[in-house]
Amino acid sequence: QVQLAESGGGLVQPGGSLRLSCAASGNFYTIATTGWYRQAPGKERELVAAFTSGGTTNYADSVKGRFTISRDDAKSTVHLQMNSLKPEDTAVYYCKIGVRMSIIFSRVDDYWGQGTQVTVSS
């Protein structure tokens, strides 16, 4: 199995910054995909940032220019740097990592973190 450990959430004032981290552990062959999602009260879960299969990044329009997704392959970790935070960024943030479990099989299985609360308020 694969376990995801999220960290970095908390309470921050508008205009502040937070850096979320998500580390994958367990037995797997490679990490295939990575992304961050969020869900605010009364709203559906939405994609925030992700790496595409081609190695480029994809961001929601609402966070472009403020958020940056990055990876540390040596530590099997994905980060989300969040700058210029706004109250509307308040949500539970979830990381999703797709892993290839075996060198034999090409299937990719998705794993979700349990979420970390980000609250932007004065």
Side-chain angles (χ1 to χ4, degrees), residues 80-92:
L80 184 67
Q81 179 67 45
M82 304 184 294
N83 298 326
S84 302
L85 283 163
K86 305 175 181 180
E88 50 263 43
D89 294 319
T90 296
V92 177

Side-chain angles (χ1 to χ4, degrees), residues 25-96:
S25 62
N27 298 120
F28 54 88
Y29 177 52
T30 60
I31 293 177
T33 58
T34 56
W36 287 94
Y37 296 73
R38 69 185 181 187
Q39 187 167 19
K43 296 184 178 181
E44 296 183 350
R45 187 173 300 185
E46 65 173 344
L47 174 68
V48 177
F51 281 100
T52 68
S53 60
T56 61
T57 53
N58 185 33
Y59 296 94
D61 288 340
S62 60
V63 307
K64 287 182 178 178
R66 299 188 297 119
F67 290 11
T68 303
I69 187 172
S70 62
R71 292 171 59 171
D72 185 342
D73 291 334
K75 298 181 179 180
S76 298
T77 301
V78 60
H79 303 281
L80 184 67
Q81 179 67 45
M82 304 184 294
N83 298 326
S84 302
L85 283 163
K86 305 175 181 180
E88 50 263 43
D89 294 319
T90 296
V92 177
Y93 284 71
Y94 301 88
C95 64
K96 185 177 77 172

Side-chain angles (χ1 to χ4, degrees), residues 99-118:
V99 301
R100 182 176 173 178
M101 298 297 291
S102 172
I103 191 173
I104 301 175
F105 304 104
S106 61
R107 187 188 71 197
V108 175
D109 295 332
D110 290 333
Y111 290 85
W112 289 88
Q114 288 194 323
T116 183
Q117 177 71 49
V118 172

